């Protein structure tokens, strides 16, 4: 009996999909299709891609309904990547062939199942990947091992499985094919070995072990018992942290209960940061700020408030991928997509037509259309939303969701007041100093932004030089110079401008296409990544230009690394160059094979942090150890091109790294172990640049609409003192408890919290 057959398709080809799926089901084939609702497929109010991942890992084979619609769909691309990573046999068919000759296509699929799916090799592959996926999800590996009542046959079966799995792994190169899941594959094999050992030992050995254990425990020093308790506490703390963080994405109220019930003795240094993260996230934007029932005096006022389903500034339409909204600016015709994981079923605008709220699947989102930020999720449906409004209550703007049980859920708008400006940017650079300035390029103008205002420099650059290549420019740490690349059909040139008097310091056409630039620490040299020659060095003092001799290397990005320079190519691999453009190959930075948007390096420790700006990948950003070549993947975006980071900053003391995101979110990690110690939506627009203040307690943020914000980091979060961390956790837990009590008190006792 085979596992289900997974179907990957675009919703635009649904007629052909339903036709072949129905015929296969009638023939007894278990078909998995992402249909919302009960039954086979994705249930309502479920995290969409998690269910897709599970379905692919558990599948015996896949059928790809391949069309232009499928090729252009980002979710389909993710599904295909996962199918390849799982070594899942698949068959490609076109929707036209299904509609033209369903019987012929049906015969092809059945032949594919017989030859590629219901084979011993594929059944074992499915068993292996399904087990690994379940282990990753928290299932005990020993529970997945097949056993029979007959001791001998069970033992022989376990040995045969182990040997077959070993050959399968080696031949399939699963370590490189699916490096994220491979550790769990190894856990499953280790569980098989342990099972065989236990069965071999038998009853006599178990008896001897019991006797030995009794003697050993009686002689065990007290210090070792204490150590064991500490290890147990660490284990439980880490497990609890993982559980809370996982549950809070789906059921914040349950996560709060789990956090509240956690025994303090399980709070350890290693588990604290994750636990604190769960608490911080829960207090930010998950539960409503207020719940109104029909008995509340404000209820009628909110219900009667005017609702705006359209904006005078934007036109809205569903996106082609059935997840999100396309916004078209009325004045310019400029379009952008606000992405979500499922189809939008209700929208509302504020009175000015700038802030958009919408419901999609199991969530309510809000975004600042003018600020170009990604949507911020507000809550998971405990009740179905029947209407949305954005309304003013006591001088503050609120998103109001009316539920099918006639409750009104209110969230205060997360967006800061934005100054009116014609300027906007996706990328910027902060200078150093007590009050750093942000520098960015807008068209052919250079904007120098401070908290006190802005200065515009318009360098005299001939039009025939072409466009300024953004975002691959650089500013000296003291803010005195900017270097950028001009690009036209014939080639590139590197230009350096003085930000003090607007003079051109260098104007150098390059023999090879330059792709990105950075200054040396003293600001007297410019280094550029390039195609065909790898690296270019310009000495500003001498006015000389030097090329690397590496004709087969095509690099797309560059970052300073002490007195050396790190370059990454178009596939995320990197090399280290010294000041004389000699190289040392360090291998891959980003195993997903995606080009990096930008990089930052901790020169003392050799940590390279990447920014991928979406890049159409599920890999997110990474920490890479330049000393060892070790890749530490630590941020996986929930929505590709949305949750992937936009900017990065390192603290002056090298302890922390901060990432900015398109939804205005800031995440701060401790660099050494990558503990997430702060996570909050700090501004209501995309983060274009960030910088730490001198004492790490302050972060400067440049928003995409050109405004500088400052945000204070909670000092206890940055503390190394265990007592301070525990005191902070107790405060957070109390806040969670109060908020949970308020929520339950407002919502009637029969409210459905199972996400109907």
């Amino acid at each position: 009996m085979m596992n289900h057959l997974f179907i990957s398709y675009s919703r635009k080809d649904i007629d052909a999909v339903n036709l072949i799926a129905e015929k296969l089901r009638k023939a007894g084939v278990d078909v998995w299709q992402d249909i919302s609702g009960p039954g086979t497929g994705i249930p309502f109010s479920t995290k969409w891609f998690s269910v897709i991942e599970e379905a692919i890992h558990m599948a015996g084979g896949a059928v790809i309904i391949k069309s232009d619609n499928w090729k252009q769909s980002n979710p389909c691309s993710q599904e295909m990547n996962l199918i390849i990573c799982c070594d899942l046999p698949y068959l490609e068919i076109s929707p036209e062939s299904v509609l033209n000759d369903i019987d012929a296509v049906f015969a092809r699929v059945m032949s594919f199942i017989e030859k590629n799916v219901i084979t011993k090799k594929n059944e074992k592959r499915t068993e292996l990947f399904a087990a690994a996926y379940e282990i990753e999800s928290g299932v005990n590996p020993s529970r997945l091992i097949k056993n029979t009542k007959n001791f001998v046959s069970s033992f022989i079966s376990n040995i045969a499985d182990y040997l077959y799995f070993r050959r399968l792994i080696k031949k399939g190169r699963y370590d490189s094919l699916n490096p994220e899941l491979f550790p769990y594959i190894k856990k499953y094999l280790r569980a098989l070995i342990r099972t065989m050992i236990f069965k071999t030992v038998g009853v006599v050995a178990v008896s001897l072990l019991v006797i030995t254990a009794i003697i050993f425990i009686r002689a065990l020093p007290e210090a070792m018992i204490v150590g064991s308790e500490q290890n147990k506490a660490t284990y439980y703390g880490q497990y609890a942290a993982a559980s809370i963080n996982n549950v809070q994405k789906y059921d914040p109220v349950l996560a709060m209960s789990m956090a509240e019930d956690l025994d303090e003795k399980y709070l350890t240094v290693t588990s604290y940061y994750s636990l604190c993260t769960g608490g911080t996230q829960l207090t930010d934007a998950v539960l409503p700020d207020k719940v109104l029932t029909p008995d509340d005096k404000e209820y009628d006022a909110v219900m009667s408030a005017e609702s705006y389903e359209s904006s005078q500034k934007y036109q809205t339409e569903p996106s082609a991928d059935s997840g999100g909204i396309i916004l078209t600016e009325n004045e310019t015709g400029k379009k952008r997509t606000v992405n979500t994981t499922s189809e939008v079923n209700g929208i509302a605008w504020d009175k000015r037509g700038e802030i958009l709220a919408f419901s999609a699947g199991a969530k309510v989102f809000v975004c600042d259309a003018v600020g170009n930020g990604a949507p911020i999720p507000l809550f998971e449906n405990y009740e179905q939303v029947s209407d949305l409004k954005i309304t003013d209550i006591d001088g503050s703007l609120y998103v109001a969701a009316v539920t099918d049980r006639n409750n009104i859920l209110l969230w205060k708008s997360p967006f800061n007041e934005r100054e009116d400006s014609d300027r906007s940017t996706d990328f910027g650079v902060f200078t150093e100093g007590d009050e750093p300035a942000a520098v960015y390029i807008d068209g052919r103008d250079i904007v120098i932004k401070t908290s006190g205002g802005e200065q515009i420099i318009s360098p005299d650059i001939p039009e025939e030089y072409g466009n300024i290549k953004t975002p691959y420019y650089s500013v000296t740490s003291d803010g005195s110079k900017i270097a950028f690349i001009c690009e036209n059909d014939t080639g590139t040139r590197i230009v350096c401008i003085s930000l003090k008097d607007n003079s051109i310091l260098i104007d150098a056409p390059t023999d090879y296409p330059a792709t990105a630039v950075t200054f040396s620490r003293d600001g007297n040299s410019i280094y550029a990544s390039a195609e065909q020659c790898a690296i270019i060095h310009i000495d500003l003092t001498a006015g000389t230009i030097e090329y690397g001799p590496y004709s087969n290397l095509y690099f797309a990005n560059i970052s300073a690394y002490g007195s050396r320079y790190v370059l990454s190519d178009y596939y995320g691999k990197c090399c280290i160059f010294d000041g004389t453009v000699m190289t040392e190959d360090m291998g891959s930075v980003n195993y997903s094979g995606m080009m990096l948007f930008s990089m930052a390096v901790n020169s003392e420790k050799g940590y390279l942090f990447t920014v991928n700006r979406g890049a159409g990948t599920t890999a997110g950003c990474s920490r890479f150890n330049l000393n060892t070549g070790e890749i530490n993947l630590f941020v996986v975006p929930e929505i590709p091109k949305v949750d992937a980071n936009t900017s990065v900053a390192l603290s002056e003391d090298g302890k922390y790294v901060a990432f900015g995101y398109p939804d205005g979110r800031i995440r701060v990690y401790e660099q050494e172990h990558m503990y997430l110690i702060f996570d909050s939506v700090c501004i209501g627009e995309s983060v274009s640049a960030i910088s730490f203040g001198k004492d790490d307690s302050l972060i400067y943020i440049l928003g995409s609409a050109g405004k500088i914000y400052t945000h204070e980091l909670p000092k206890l979060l940055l503390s190394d003192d265990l007592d301070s961390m525990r005191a902070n956790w107790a405060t957070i837990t109390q806040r969670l408890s109060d908020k949970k009590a308020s929520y339950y008190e407002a919502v009637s006792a029969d409210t459905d919290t199972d996400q109907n």
Side-chain angles (χ1 to χ4, degrees):
M1 183 175 178
M2 63 166 275
N3 282 29
H4 61 251
L5 193 69
F6 179 87
I7 298 185
S8 176
Y9 66 98
S10 165
R11 293 295 174 93
K12 293 182 178 180
D13 302 318
I14 191 66
D15 292 342
V17 175
N18 287 341
L19 194 62
I20 186 63
E22 186 61 27
K23 194 168 181 68
L24 288 168
R25 289 191 181 103
K26 287 181 179 179
V29 178
D30 185 5
V31 175
W32 198 99
Q33 182 183 352
D34 64 340
I35 305 170
S36 294
T40 302
I42 303 180
F44 287 123
S45 301
T46 308
K47 191 175 180 184
W48 171 75
F49 202 72
S50 293
V51 183
I52 295 286
E53 285 181 339
E54 181 179 3
I56 292 175
H57 282 95
M58 301 294 178
V63 171
I64 314 297
I65 311 297
K66 196 167 186 179
S67 65
D68 289 340
N69 297 324
W70 183 90
K71 293 175 184 176
Q72 293 167 8
S73 168
N74 189 51
C76 291
S77 175
Q78 293 181 66
E79 291 171 6
M80 192 65 204
N81 288 338
L82 201 53
I83 286 169
I84 292 172
C85 287
C86 292
D87 196 23
L88 188 65
Y90 63 91
L91 173 69
E92 295 180 353
I93 58 177
S94 68
E96 292 80 14
S97 64
V98 174
L99 296 173
N100 292 336
D101 193 345
I102 180 63
D103 292 332
V105 173
F106 173 73
R108 279 185 62 199
V109 176
M110 295 303 289
S111 175
F112 161 73
I113 292 173
E114 183 178 354
K115 293 178 180 178
N116 300 93
V117 179
I118 52 175
T119 65
K120 180 181 179 182
K121 175 187 174 183
N122 188 56
E123 287 177 355
K124 288 298 179 185
R125 179 212 60 79
T126 305
E127 182 182 335
L128 187 62
F129 274 88
Y133 182 81
E134 290 191 71
I135 293 169
E136 183 187 27
S137 303
V139 175
N140 190 322
S142 61
R143 295 187 178 183
L144 302 173
I145 297 171
K146 294 182 296 184
N147 291 300
T148 64
K149 292 182 179 180
N150 187 304
F151 177 85
V152 176
S153 63
S154 180
F155 178 63
I156 294 173
S157 174
N158 290 155
I159 292 177
D161 283 346
Y162 176 77
L163 295 175
Y164 196 94
F165 286 144
R166 286 292 300 269
R167 290 196 300 271
L168 194 63
I169 290 168
K170 187 175 181 181
K171 190 174 180 180
R173 296 182 60 82
Y174 294 157
D175 55 341
S176 58
L177 187 66
N178 199 326
E180 288 189 67
L181 199 65
F182 189 67
Y184 302 100
I185 290 176
K186 291 196 293 185
K187 275 189 177 182
Y188 185 54
L189 294 190
R190 286 197 294 269
L192 265 175
I193 294 173
R194 287 196 299 270
T195 301
M196 291 186 290
I197 291 173
F198 286 139
K199 289 178 179 177
T200 304
V201 169
V203 178
V204 176
V206 170
S207 301
L208 290 173
L209 283 173
V210 170
I211 295 170
T212 305
I214 293 171
I215 297 171
F216 179 73
I217 290 172
R218 294 181 113 178
L220 195 64
E222 182 65 25
M224 292 188 68
I225 295 176
V226 173
S228 175
E229 285 298 315
Q230 290 174 343
N231 290 337
K232 181 181 178 182
T234 298
Y235 170 78
Y236 279 119
Q238 290 172 336
Y239 178 78
S243 299
I244 290 171
N245 284 330
N246 184 50
V247 170
Q248 70 96 7
K249 297 175 184 177
Y250 307 98
D251 190 341
V253 175
L254 176 59
M256 288 182 186
S257 177
M258 292 171 63
E260 210 176 8
D261 294 341
L262 185 66
D263 193 322
E264 193 200 30
K265 72 181 180 182
Y266 296 137
L267 281 175
T268 67
V269 176
T270 53
S271 67
Y272 168 77
Y273 293 101
S274 295
L275 289 167
C276 184
T277 298
T280 304
Q281 288 175 339
L282 290 170
T283 57
D284 275 344
V286 179
L287 289 180
D289 293 295
K290 201 169 186 180
V291 180
L292 302 179
T293 65
D295 296 331
D296 292 312
K297 60 181 181 179
E298 304 142 289
Y299 185 89
D300 290 339
V302 175
M303 286 295 289
S304 60
E306 189 170 359
S307 179
Y308 301 93
E309 295 183 1
S310 61
S311 164
Q312 62 271 34
K313 296 184 179 182
Y314 296 93
Q315 298 293 323
T316 60
E317 59 181 308
S319 70
D321 292 332
S322 74
I325 299 173
I326 298 175
L327 297 180
T328 304
E329 194 173 341
N330 290 335
E331 187 175 335
T332 64
K334 184 178 179 181
K335 294 178 179 287
R336 77 179 182 94
T337 301
V338 178
N339 292 290
T340 65
T341 53
S342 55
E343 191 171 349
V344 173
N345 49 40
I347 66 171
W349 288 90
D350 72 323
K351 187 176 182 180
R352 295 175 63 184
E354 296 181 352
I355 296 176
L356 169 67
F358 59 92
S359 54
K363 292 183 178 178
V364 170
F365 296 85
V366 63
C367 71
D368 185 341
V370 178
N372 292 317
I376 299 172
L378 294 180
F379 97 132
E380 302 273 352
N381 290 27
Y382 304 119
E383 305 174 11
Q384 293 295 317
V385 174
S386 58
D387 190 20
L388 276 177
K389 298 183 180 187
I390 300 180
T391 185
D392 188 279
I393 300 176
D394 297 330
S396 297
L397 205 61
Y398 282 83
V399 176
V402 183
T403 73
D404 58 359
R405 293 180 183 272
N406 295 320
N407 290 315
I408 300 177
L409 312 181
L410 294 171
W411 296 268
K412 195 171 183 179
S413 170
F415 302 124
N416 297 278
E417 183 180 349
R418 185 185 55 251
E419 60 189 21
D420 292 328
S421 174
D422 295 331
R423 302 286 174 181
S424 63
T425 179
D426 290 330
F427 177 78
V429 179
F430 272 105
T431 62
E432 294 182 357
D434 291 337
E435 290 193 19
V439 182
Y440 62 89
I441 295 176
D442 180 18
R444 302 181 78 80
D445 294 335
I446 299 168
V447 183
I448 304 173
K449 194 83 175 181
T450 64
S451 56
E454 65 182 22
Q455 176 188 358
I456 309 297
I457 294 177
S458 301
D460 187 17
I461 301 172
E463 290 290 336
E464 58 265 26
Y465 282 12
N467 296 322
I468 297 177
K469 186 178 172 65
T470 57
Y472 306 104
Y473 51 87
S474 181
V475 177
T476 55
S477 58
D478 63 0
S480 63
K481 304 168 189 172
I482 184 171
F484 51 83
I485 299 165
C486 287
E487 184 178 43
N488 58 24
D489 294 338
T490 61
T492 62
R493 63 176 62 230
I494 296 173
V495 179
C496 181
I497 303 289
S498 168
L499 295 179
K500 293 182 177 179
D501 59 15
N502 197 18
S503 62
I504 297 178
L505 303 178
I506 197 78
D507 177 4
T510 60
D511 294 345
Y512 302 95
T515 54
V517 294
T518 190
F519 280 99
S520 60
R521 185 63 186 172
D522 60 13
N524 293 326
S525 288
I526 298 171
Y527 285 86
S529 55
E531 298 180 355
Q532 302 175 35
C533 75
I535 190 169
I536 301 172
H537 170 222
I538 297 178
D539 188 322
L540 294 176
T541 304
T544 58
I545 186 167
E546 180 184 13
Y547 298 96
Y550 309 103
S551 60
N552 62 334
L553 297 180
Y554 290 72
F555 287 99
N557 222 310
I558 186 168
S559 180
Y561 176 24
S563 61
R564 296 179 289 172
Y565 299 88
V566 180
L567 277 71
S568 69
D569 69 8
Y570 286 94
Y571 298 97
K573 295 182 179 179
C574 76
C575 288
I576 297 176
F577 286 77
D578 64 17
T580 59
V581 298
M582 299 301 291
T583 180
E584 171 191 354
D585 189 1
M586 284 302 298
S588 176
V589 176
N590 189 337
Y591 72 77
S592 65
M594 294 293 176
M595 186 179 77
L596 305 177
F597 179 80
S598 62
M599 305 178 290
V601 178
N602 179 327
S603 298
E604 182 181 347
K605 297 181 180 179
Y607 294 148
L608 170 66
F609 300 93
T610 68
V611 175
N612 71 358
R613 191 87 181 175
T617 175
T618 57
C621 51
S622 61
R623 189 195 78 174
F624 181 69
N625 192 323
L626 294 169
N627 297 318
T628 65
E630 179 187 4
I631 303 167
N632 304 100
L633 188 69
F634 58 89
V635 178
V636 179
E638 294 182 12
I639 309 176
K641 298 186 179 179
V642 174
D643 200 28
N645 56 333
T646 59
S647 49
V648 62
L650 307 181
S651 64
E652 189 176 26
D653 57 14
K655 291 177 65 175
Y656 308 107
V657 56
F659 290 98
Y661 293 82
D663 63 356
R665 185 175 296 276
I666 298 293
R667 287 179 177 145
V668 180
Y669 293 82
E670 180 272 336
Q671 288 189 31
E672 189 67 31
H673 305 289
M674 294 316 301
Y675 292 132
L676 177 58
I677 59 175
F678 177 77
D679 182 2
S680 181
V681 176
C682 296
I683 65 173
E685 55 196 76
S686 181
V687 177
S688 299
I690 45 179
S691 176
F692 278 95
K694 284 291 183 182
D695 62 354
D696 298 339
S697 65
L698 196 67
I699 284 186
Y700 296 92
I701 309 166
L702 174 66
S704 62
K707 181 178 179 179
I708 291 181
Y709 303 88
T710 57
H711 189 84
E712 271 193 54
L713 295 178
K715 292 185 178 179
L716 285 173
L717 292 178
L718 303 175
S719 173
D720 294 322
D721 177 62
L722 182 59
D723 291 337
S724 297
M725 290 192 295
R726 286 189 173 179
N728 184 51
W729 170 245
T731 302
I732 290 173
T733 304
Q734 186 59 50
R735 252 198 332 264
L736 297 178
S737 176
D738 294 343
K739 198 165 189 178
K740 183 182 73 171
S742 173
Y743 179 78
Y744 275 130
E745 184 179 344
V747 179
S748 57
D750 62 342
T751 295
D752 181 8
T753 59
D754 290 331
Q755 300 186 10
N756 290 332

